[in-house]
Amino acid sequence: MSEASATAAKGELPSAQQSSGPSATRRTAPRITYFSLSFPELTQTFVFNEMRHLKALGADIDIVALRPPRNEMSDLPQRYGFGERIAYADPGVVVRNRTQRIGLAGRSAARLVAAGRGDGVWRLLRSGADSQSLTRSMNLHIAARLRARGAEGDVLLCHFGPAGRVAAHLKAMGLIKAPLVTVFHGYDVTQYLDDKSPAEYRELFQSADLLIAISDLWHRRLLELGAPPEKIETLHLGIDCSAFEYRPRRIEPGEPIRFVSVGRMTEKKGHRYTVEAFAELASRHPELDLKLDIAGSGPLFDELQGLVNRLGLSQRVRLLGGINHDEVRRLLDAAHIFVLHSVTAGDGDMEGIPVSIMEAMAMGLPVASTLHSGIPELVADGRSGLLVAERDAQAFADALGRLIGDPALVEGMGRDGRAIIERDYNADLQAERLLGRLSEISR
């Protein structure tokens, strides 16, 4: 039993109500084929954890991806036992010679015709613009891969709208017939649509059987985009509570006070405002040993390091770059307070509900963040953390100052945060809810 579970059993920490168990779900679990444009992305831990929990409930999981990531690739699918279940659909991953690619497309078309999809092949070959600017031969190969992996009569599950859009096009052409589910996370209903037609998702909205929003905010956004209300559901992401042990956070007199932030070095993560607020806090409290660790790689890394140096914080602030999940847990375990100043980026990119905040709350860390996107759905302002307006470094410094000045508040917020995660963002419970819906639409 984890420390968190033991604490809850003693009545010291509220725990989520347990379900009646997965046995009934296991008997009816469908075969699920995930489709992704790029897999396995280092930053998509939530997808791999979802797969793992669905598998534990009895689901048979396969993955078809267009191609591997060009840069950062996660090792979690291998560690979780999915390495042999991944098939890539981009002919360029398999062959690079143009003649061979044409031959591969022909063989894919032949397989689809043999499987009774000849009408779909003909419709695709006669169609105009293809989904996601993919070539017809690419669509044929994707459809053949999906069919070979069992996406026929079971469930096809896509994370992010662009992947769902490709799958919807294949379904509209009649090349695949599986029930289609697409999960929207934020980027796909904000930044992605900036230079697109308002009808970008029309085919997806028509062909999908279920559209999942990971927050109420994105649920409302899908309605604004014209998605059928009866197809939309909000289902929060979850984390494995047993993997993140709860520990009361106590700030002891004379010891360093440790802040931690985890997130890619991109504009929407707002690291600049975190550093500026931390600098203000340090100037207000020169008597305190304040430390800030920021984990994450990305295009703004050098810019942020320059800011740290200009503000004279090199002895207090560490930029750790990209680190693996075990190292993140160790970092969270050593900290007192989690900070993430998320903002709407200039190109419209926004958060969903950051998994990094979920993990911090699960470990008992109070959270300082912003009134941004779905964060207020996760962080109960004044109860499990403090939220301020976006880009207000002074208000953020005030919030951090309030936390370090009240050790009882820090401990109490951490305790309430763990309870929120166990109740509403527990991967076991969320996976059961998801699998129940997938089982319903696959019948």
Side-chain angles (χ1 to χ4, degrees):
M1 179 182 292
S2 70
E3 181 180 343
S5 300
T7 306
K10 295 175 184 176
E12 298 172 11
L13 180 68
S15 179
Q17 181 179 359
Q18 295 300 310
S19 68
S20 58
S23 57
T25 307
R26 281 198 179 96
R27 287 195 295 271
T28 58
R31 183 171 184 177
I32 302 168
T33 302
Y34 280 78
F35 174 66
S36 176
L37 298 184
S38 178
F39 187 91
E41 294 280 356
L42 183 64
T43 58
Q44 294 180 9
T45 302
F46 52 89
V47 177
F48 317 139
N49 284 334
E50 177 184 280
M51 291 176 176
R52 182 163 60 101
H53 283 85
L54 291 174
K55 180 181 178 183
L57 291 170
D60 190 6
I61 305 290
D62 275 304
I63 304 105
V64 174
L66 187 59
R67 58 179 64 90
R70 288 186 171 88
N71 295 309
E72 298 174 320
M73 182 181 294
S74 174
D75 66 345
L76 288 182
Q78 291 286 348
R79 290 167 57 182
Y80 291 167
F82 294 111
E84 301 303 315
R85 309 306 294 266
I86 304 171
Y88 290 109
D90 184 348
V93 175
V94 183
V95 293
R96 301 195 179 278
N97 180 280
R98 183 174 181 274
T99 301
Q100 290 178 316
R101 290 189 191 188
I102 294 173
L104 192 59
R107 290 192 295 276
S108 296
R111 292 190 188 99
L112 292 167
V113 170
R117 297 289 176 263
D119 289 346
V121 171
W122 179 242
R123 278 196 295 272
L124 179 68
L125 294 176
R126 294 185 61 196
S127 67
D130 283 60
S131 175
Q132 201 66 17
S133 300
L134 296 173
T135 64
R136 291 175 179 81
S137 61
M138 184 83 77
N139 276 297
L140 288 170
H141 196 50
I142 293 171
R145 282 286 194 182
L146 287 170
R147 193 179 190 289
R149 284 298 174 118
E152 198 69 38
D154 291 314
V155 178
L156 183 59
L157 178 57
C158 303
H159 277 273
F160 299 98
R165 186 171 176 268
V166 173
H169 186 62
L170 299 179
K171 188 169 183 178
M173 291 292 103
L175 291 169
I176 57 175
K177 294 188 180 295
L180 172 61
V181 178
T182 300
V183 184
F184 292 85
H185 292 265
Y187 153 82
D188 40 11
V189 288
T190 55
Q191 179 192 19
Y192 171 75
L193 295 175
D194 279 352
D195 58 350
K196 307 288 193 307
S197 161
E200 181 75 3
Y201 286 138
R202 180 179 297 163
E203 195 170 54
L204 173 55
F205 292 162
Q206 292 171 345
S207 298
D209 296 85
L210 178 62
L211 305 167
I212 294 176
I214 60 98
S215 74
D216 291 334
L217 177 65
W218 301 139
H219 188 133
R220 294 191 294 272
R221 176 62 173 150
L222 286 173
L223 289 173
E224 293 170 359
L225 292 170
E230 68 277 8
K231 290 186 178 183
I232 312 172
E233 292 187 21
T234 298
L235 184 64
H236 293 139
L237 296 175
I239 62 169
D240 183 356
C241 291
S242 66
F244 298 92
E245 291 198 11
Y246 168 81
R247 179 172 67 80
R249 303 297 157 151
R250 298 188 175 100
I251 298 177
E252 302 294 346
E255 73 171 356
I257 301 174
R258 299 190 177 278
F259 299 85
V260 62
S261 187
V262 179
R264 277 182 53 77
M265 296 292 172
T266 58
E267 185 184 355
K268 74 177 178 181
K269 296 297 181 181
H271 293 310
R272 164 192 160 190
Y273 303 101
T274 294
V275 171
E276 290 176 350
F278 182 81
E280 174 64 22
L281 184 71
S283 69
R284 295 178 188 176
H285 297 280
E287 78 285 0
L288 297 178
D289 186 5
L290 305 175
K291 304 291 186 184
L292 170 62
D293 289 325
I294 304 178
S297 60
L300 300 183
F301 185 93
D302 291 341
E303 180 179 318
L304 193 67
Q305 185 65 68
L307 177 63
V308 168
N309 295 338
R310 287 196 303 276
L311 293 174
L313 296 173
S314 57
Q315 298 303 309
R316 292 179 180 268
V317 178
R318 294 191 304 169
L319 303 187
L320 303 175
I323 61 177
N324 66 40
H325 216 57
D326 292 336
E327 291 174 308
V328 169
R329 273 197 294 266
R330 286 192 289 271
L331 198 64
L332 294 173
D333 190 54
H336 296 100
I337 298 164
F338 184 85
V339 296
L340 187 67
H341 194 105
S342 297
V343 302
T344 302
D347 60 5
D349 193 13
M350 298 172 67
E351 300 275 18
I353 299 181
V355 173
S356 61
I357 296 182
M358 296 181 202
E359 294 175 349
M361 290 171 64
M363 296 185 72
L365 285 161
V367 174
S369 191
T370 52
L371 295 162
H372 169 83
S373 188
I375 291 174
E377 297 176 36
L378 170 64
V379 180
D381 189 21
R383 189 158 64 86
S384 62
L386 298 176
L387 303 179
V388 305
E390 295 182 28
R391 293 183 167 84
D392 192 337
Q394 290 296 314
F396 207 46
D398 293 342
L400 300 183
R402 180 181 170 191
L403 289 170
I404 65 173
D406 192 343
L409 183 66
V410 166
E411 186 173 346
M413 284 185 167
R415 182 173 59 250
D416 285 349
R418 172 70 189 205
I420 289 171
I421 296 300
E422 288 198 345
R423 184 185 66 241
D424 298 327
Y425 298 88
N426 184 324
D428 290 326
L429 300 181
Q430 297 303 89
E432 286 193 32
R433 291 164 184 155
L434 174 60
L435 190 57
R437 289 297 287 119
L438 299 183
S439 297
E440 288 173 10
I441 67 173
S442 68
R443 291 180 185 135

